[in-house]
């Protein structure tokens, strides 16, 4: 075999690269978990079978088919309640950052929404906080326990609202950078 050039079918290689398991029950369970249990096992099996039991392709097919029915929640940033524009915090200090937000849509938010850290500087170990479902036009405050960096400087972290199924909505939070003295 030494010195032989072997041409492998790229399609075959792609199928093998997606093959983490061949257990159909495991694939159905994983499909359901990733969709937040929006689809029953028979529906999951349909999309998986349609895509030769390729989980990634099945999820893409599901969203291609269901995307007109997906209602994206609406959210508007109202104001900074704590740590607003021009304010600074001493280094290595615990603080609570609070934003005021509004459900600016015509429908209540689905259960299980949260505010998630999505990038930039992270202030502490909190990656997400659960947010209660807001009714249309309802306003609420969302708070995150944070700790300022140990070195003085300008820092900024971004947070976004997210549904239980991983769909981000609204804009990024942190309209101004934080200055740490």
């Amino acid at each position: 075999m030494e010195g032989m050039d072997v041409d492998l079918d790229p399609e075959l290689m792609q199928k093998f690269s997606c093959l983490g398991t061949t257990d159909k029950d495991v694939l159905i369970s994983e499909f359901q978990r990733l969709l937040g249990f929006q689809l029953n096992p028979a529906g999951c099996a349909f999309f998986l079978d349609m895509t030769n039991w390729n989980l990634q392709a099945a999820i893409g097919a599901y969203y291609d088919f269901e995307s007109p029915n997906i209602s994206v929640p609406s959210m508007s940033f109202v104001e900074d309640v704590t740590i607003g524009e021009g304010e600074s915090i001493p280094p290595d200090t615990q603080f609570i950052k609070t934003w005021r937000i509004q459900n600016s849509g015509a429908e209540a938010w689905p259960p299980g929404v949260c505010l998630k850290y999505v990038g930039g500087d992270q202030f502490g170990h909190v990656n997400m906080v659960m947010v209660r479902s807001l009714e249309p036009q309802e306003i609420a405050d969302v708070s995150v326990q944070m700790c300022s960096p140990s070195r003085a400087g300008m820092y900024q972290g971004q947070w976004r609202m997210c549904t239980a199924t991983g769909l981000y909505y609204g804009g990024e939070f942190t309209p101004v950078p934080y200055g740490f003295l």
Side-chain angles (χ1 to χ4, degrees), residues 41-120:
C44 292
F46 169 78
F47 285 102
L48 284 161
D49 189 48
M50 184 173 75
T51 59
N52 284 334
W53 295 88
N54 179 314
L55 184 60
Q56 183 177 1
I59 290 171
Y62 170 79
Y63 280 114
D64 286 346
F65 178 75
E66 288 293 324
S67 61
N69 299 328
I70 295 174
S71 175
V72 179
S74 296
M75 186 278 306
S76 296
F77 170 79
V78 177
E79 67 180 335
D80 288 305
V81 177
T82 62
I83 323 299
E85 187 172 356
E87 293 184 51
S88 60
I89 300 168
D92 206 24
T93 301
Q94 296 283 326
F95 66 98
I96 295 175
K97 173 62 186 164
T98 302
W99 295 274
R100 185 157 292 145
I101 60 172
Q102 179 179 26
N103 175 350
S104 53
E107 297 178 22
W109 288 350
V113 298
C114 64
L115 179 65
K116 274 189 170 181
Y117 166 76
V118 294

Side-chain angles (χ1 to χ4, degrees), residues 117-123 155-159 172:
Y117 166 76
V118 294
D121 299 301
Q122 189 169 7
F123 308 108
Y155 298 89
Q156 184 173 350
Q158 291 82 38
W159 294 73
E172 287 183 352

Side-chain angles (χ1 to χ4, degrees), residues 135-155:
E135 293 298 318
Q137 305 310 308
E138 185 178 0
I139 295 174
D141 290 351
V142 180
S143 298
V144 179
Q145 177 73 43
M146 298 183 176
C147 183
S148 62
S150 57
R151 296 183 130 175
M154 295 296 286
Y155 298 89

